[in-house]
Amino acid sequence: MIVIKELAKKFTVENPKKLSEQDKKDPRLDGRYFHSVKNVSLRCNKGQVLGLLGPNGAGKTTTLRMLSTALQPNSGSIMIGDIDVVADPVMARKKIGFLSGSTGLYGRLTGRENIEYFGRLNGMNEASIKAKINEIADQLDMHTFLDRRSENFSTGMKQKTSIARAVVHSPDVVVLDEPTTGLDIMAAKTVIDFIRDLKHKGIPVIFSTHHLDEVTELCDHISVIDHGLTSFDGPLADFVALSPNNLHEAFMRALHRSES
């Protein structure tokens, strides 16, 4: 279970005068501080997939980076089961499988070696790493490229390797930041099927996406962030009910809630 309450994060703006006109109009700008996340709350239970939606720059990635312990929040709380992520980030990292927006693979290493490295970082023994890689490679259809150097990988190969690296240690929760961006139809389907399998195993999954068809296919719960605020948080059925015949209109109505 993942529970986030009233999360907030601000960044110092070194020179406000150099900001673009669009940035200057952002309501989150306050003097020398930009409040990327102002007040975000959400909950993802065991066996649920939560779809995190919002415009570019809304604060989704900052929220996920705080959940992953990459950033320290200014206020609010994050709990994974009974682990306080803010108070005990080292223990929290052992519970989380996190895929960022950038793959960041080591190009000179093969796909297998990249995954093995992260398995060792998480304290796995060699036999467990080997077995887990074979299992994931079956699920993500990776065997044809697993032993090639990753610097020559396609976008889909890189993304699959990054996902494998994120879950090799069998985390309690999985957080995916736009996992299907840039993938072709077949690669995207493989990733979607993998997320569905995590759900069937009872693993809570939070993933951000701009693809509303993925939301209706996978998600039990929807959270929408706009200008650093939670503007909608509820079951998929409630989100769809905002505009039953048009998901894009439902999304726009969810955004406008933060303005009311």
Side-chain angles (χ1 to χ4, degrees), residues 237 239-247 249-250 253:
F239 176 76
V240 173
L242 294 175
S243 182
N245 298 316
N246 190 323
L247 286 178
E249 179 62 26
R253 291 183 181 181

Side-chain angles (χ1 to χ4, degrees), residues 70-85:
L71 286 176
Q72 180 86 3
N74 294 114
S75 61
S77 64
I78 308 169
M79 299 294 297
I80 296 177
D82 58 356
I83 302 296
D84 186 326
V85 174

Side-chain angles (χ1 to χ4, degrees), residues 23-81:
D23 288 338
K24 290 178 181 178
K25 294 177 182 177
D26 194 306
R28 291 173 290 176
L29 182 64
D30 182 13
R32 296 188 65 85
Y33 293 101
F34 182 78
H35 297 261
S36 178
V37 174
K38 298 180 71 175
N39 190 335
V40 167
S41 298
L42 57 86
R43 180 189 186 101
C44 185
N45 294 323
K46 183 177 179 179
Q48 279 191 336
V49 176
L50 181 145
L52 188 62
L53 307 178
N56 288 332
K60 303 188 301 300
T61 295
T62 300
T63 297
L64 296 183
R65 291 185 69 195
M66 286 188 280
L67 171 57
S68 74
T69 75
L71 286 176
Q72 180 86 3
N74 294 114
S75 61
S77 64
I78 308 169
M79 299 294 297
I80 296 177

Side-chain angles (χ1 to χ4, degrees), residues 78-259:
I78 308 169
M79 299 294 297
I80 296 177
D82 58 356
I83 302 296
D84 186 326
V85 174
V86 179
D88 195 352
V90 175
M91 179 60 70
R93 288 187 198 111
K94 298 178 181 179
K95 304 288 185 180
I96 302 169
F98 179 64
L99 173 73
S100 68
S102 173
T103 57
L105 298 176
Y106 297 102
R108 289 181 171 271
L109 300 183
T110 66
R112 186 186 301 277
E113 289 167 341
N114 269 282
I115 303 166
E116 287 174 341
Y117 177 60
F118 272 73
R120 295 186 190 107
L121 287 179
N122 282 283
M124 298 175 67
N125 62 49
E126 297 302 313
S128 296
I129 292 172
K130 181 178 180 180
K132 190 65 177 180
I133 289 176
N134 285 333
E135 175 190 330
I136 298 171
D138 286 341
Q139 292 175 300
L140 291 175
D141 191 21
M142 298 175 63
H143 288 291
T144 58
F145 62 86
L146 193 57
D147 292 302
R148 290 164 48 188
R149 281 169 59 156
S150 59
E151 63 186 357
N152 299 316
F153 282 0
S154 67
T155 299
M157 293 172 185
K158 289 179 179 178
Q159 195 72 327
K160 288 180 180 181
T161 304
S162 295
I163 292 172
R165 184 179 63 178
V167 301
V168 66
H169 62 300
S170 301
D172 291 348
V173 303
V174 174
V175 181
L176 306 171
D177 191 3
E178 300 187 12
T180 61
T181 297
L183 302 188
D184 62 31
I185 293 173
M186 294 305 297
K189 182 183 183 304
T190 301
V191 172
I192 292 298
D193 288 343
F194 183 75
I195 295 172
R196 187 181 288 111
D197 185 64
L198 292 173
K199 176 181 176 177
H200 289 163
K201 291 177 179 177
I203 299 172
V205 179
I206 294 179
F207 85 105
S208 68
T209 181
H210 292 292
H211 303 294
L212 294 179
D213 56 330
E214 295 176 356
V215 168
T216 55
E217 185 176 354
L218 280 174
C219 294
D220 309 281
H221 200 90
I222 305 297
S223 288
V224 180
I225 298 177
D226 186 31
H227 289 109
L229 299 169
T230 301
S231 60
F232 176 90
D233 184 61
L236 174 64
D238 290 355
F239 176 76
V240 173
L242 294 175
S243 182
N245 298 316
N246 190 323
L247 286 178
H248 289 86
E249 179 62 26
F251 173 67
M252 294 306 296
R253 291 183 181 181
L255 289 181
H256 292 158
R257 286 184 167 199
S258 64
E259 301 171 2

